[in-house]
């Protein structure tokens, strides 16, 4: 089946620094990828839709200047958390749907801790 | 009203029990329905898609009622390994994002 690879799986950074998370579709081309965030004991919340070759679409309440998304190729989308603060500590997961647009595949997730 | 609502849980059941999860969705344009399973600190994984006619996969049975905008998951003969959070998920047609319920936590006890 289709595979989505996400790196890093875990990162601890100092407040004020930036962190880049990569999401790759390994055996299919994904024109669209989705970035979710999950706080403890909460559901996955969609942050933004990443579109290859164009600007990402952000959900209401998500700061586009803080969460930079780049989707430069059909197999790679990146999320950069800029000037991270402790409240940004969360589980970030990317997702992509294959060509049949049925099942969605998820990256392994990135657990970000800002200290 | 939240787009996808689930039983809050947690459900604590003995091995061998039958347990049912319910879910309602608010967007009548939703066309795809799924149950995902999420283990602690891991990414969600597809358990099964849900079809209008209802479908079964081993011990798992999923049903969809479009008129009531209601989805259910039945787990028979629960195993310890079934302990996880079960996520009700819906989406519209095409390449649209999935919308997740908050999830229902299941603990199967020996």
């Amino acid at each position: 089946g289709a595979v989505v690879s996400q790196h890093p799986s875990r990162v601890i950074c100092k407040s004020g620094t930036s962190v880049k998370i990569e999401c790759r579709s390994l055996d299919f081309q994904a024109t669209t990828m989705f970035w979710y965030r999950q706080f403890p004991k909460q559901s996955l919340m969609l942050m933004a839709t990443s579109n290859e070759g164009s600007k990402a679409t952000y959900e209401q309440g998500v700061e586009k200047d803080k969460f930079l998304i780049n989707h430069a190729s059909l197999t790679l989308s990146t999320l950069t958390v800029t000037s991270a603060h402790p409240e940004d500590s969360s589980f970030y997961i990317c997702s992509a749907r294959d060509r049949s647009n049925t099942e969605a595949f998820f990256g392994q997730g990135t657990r970000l801790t800002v200290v | 009203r939240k787009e996808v609502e689930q039983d809050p849980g947690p459900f604590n059941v003995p091995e061998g029990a039958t347990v049912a999860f319910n879910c309602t969705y608010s967007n009548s344009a939703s066309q795809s329905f799924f149950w995902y399973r999420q283990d602690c600190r891991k990414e969600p994984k597809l358990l099964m898609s849900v079809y209008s006619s209802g479908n079964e996969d081993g011990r798992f049975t999923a049903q969809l009622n479009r008129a009531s905008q209601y989805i259910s998951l039945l787990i028979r003969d629960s195993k310890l390994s079934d302990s996880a959070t079960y996520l009700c998920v819906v989406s519209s047609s095409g390449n649209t994002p999935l919308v997740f319920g908050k999830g229902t936590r299941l603990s199967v006890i020996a």
Side-chain angles (χ1 to χ4, degrees):
Chain A
V3 178
V4 175
S5 177
Q6 184 175 343
H7 294 279
S9 58
R10 192 180 193 93
V11 59
I12 301 173
C13 71
K14 289 185 178 180
S15 188
T17 60
S18 295
V19 174
K20 180 186 281 190
I21 303 169
E22 292 189 348
C23 180
R24 294 180 185 273
S25 55
L26 297 185
D27 56 359
F28 68 101
Q29 294 181 334
T31 55
T32 305
M33 289 186 177
F34 306 102
W35 287 96
Y36 293 85
R37 179 169 54 183
Q38 185 178 34
F39 291 105
K41 298 186 179 180
Q42 300 293 316
S43 63
L44 280 79
M45 297 300 297
L46 180 67
M47 297 176 67
T49 300
S50 171
N51 304 299
E52 187 268 336
S54 64
K55 291 181 180 180
T57 305
Y58 290 82
E59 295 300 298
Q60 191 172 12
V62 178
E63 300 174 56
K64 61 179 68 175
D65 294 330
K66 180 170 182 62
F67 299 99
L68 301 179
I69 291 174
N70 184 283
H71 195 154
S73 77
L74 288 170
T75 58
L76 174 65
S77 175
T78 61
L79 168 67
T80 301
V81 183
T82 62
S83 187
H85 291 284
E87 57 266 30
D88 298 323
S89 299
S90 186
F91 191 49
Y92 293 84
I93 308 178
C94 67
S95 171
R97 299 175 86 161
D98 63 10
R99 290 180 182 176
S100 65
N101 282 334
T102 51
E103 182 178 352
F105 298 92
F106 289 86
Q108 298 90 331
T110 298
R111 190 160 301 281
L112 170 64
T113 303
V114 185
V115 298
Chain B
R1 181 184 172 189
K2 294 180 181 176
E3 285 196 66
V4 180
E5 296 203 61
Q6 294 184 241
D7 285 344
F11 284 58
N12 300 312
V13 303
E15 273 188 291
T18 296
V19 61
F21 301 142
N22 303 314
C23 170
T24 56
Y25 60 95
S26 61
N27 185 357
S28 58
S30 299
Q31 296 201 15
S32 300
F33 309 91
F34 311 93
W35 283 101
Y36 275 73
R37 169 191 170 132
Q38 185 175 26
D39 292 290
C40 189
R41 305 174 84 86
K42 300 280 189 177
E43 77 277 18
K45 294 191 176 176
L46 180 66
L47 178 65
M48 59 196 305
S49 300
V50 187
Y51 304 114
S52 297
S53 55
N55 49 299
E56 186 175 307
D57 182 2
R59 299 181 293 108
F60 300 86
T61 301
Q63 292 195 313
L64 167 66
N65 185 320
R66 286 185 182 270
S68 303
Q69 295 181 197
Y70 170 91
I71 307 163
S72 66
L73 175 68
L74 185 76
I75 304 176
R76 291 181 299 277
D77 189 23
S78 299
K79 311 290 184 191
L80 293 176
S81 56
D82 293 333
S83 298
T85 296
Y86 290 82
L87 304 167
C88 178
V89 184
V90 306
S91 79
S92 302
S93 61
N95 200 7
T96 54
L98 303 180
V99 180
F100 289 83
K102 195 172 179 178
T104 302
R105 192 154 50 92
L106 170 66
S107 293
V108 181
I109 305 162

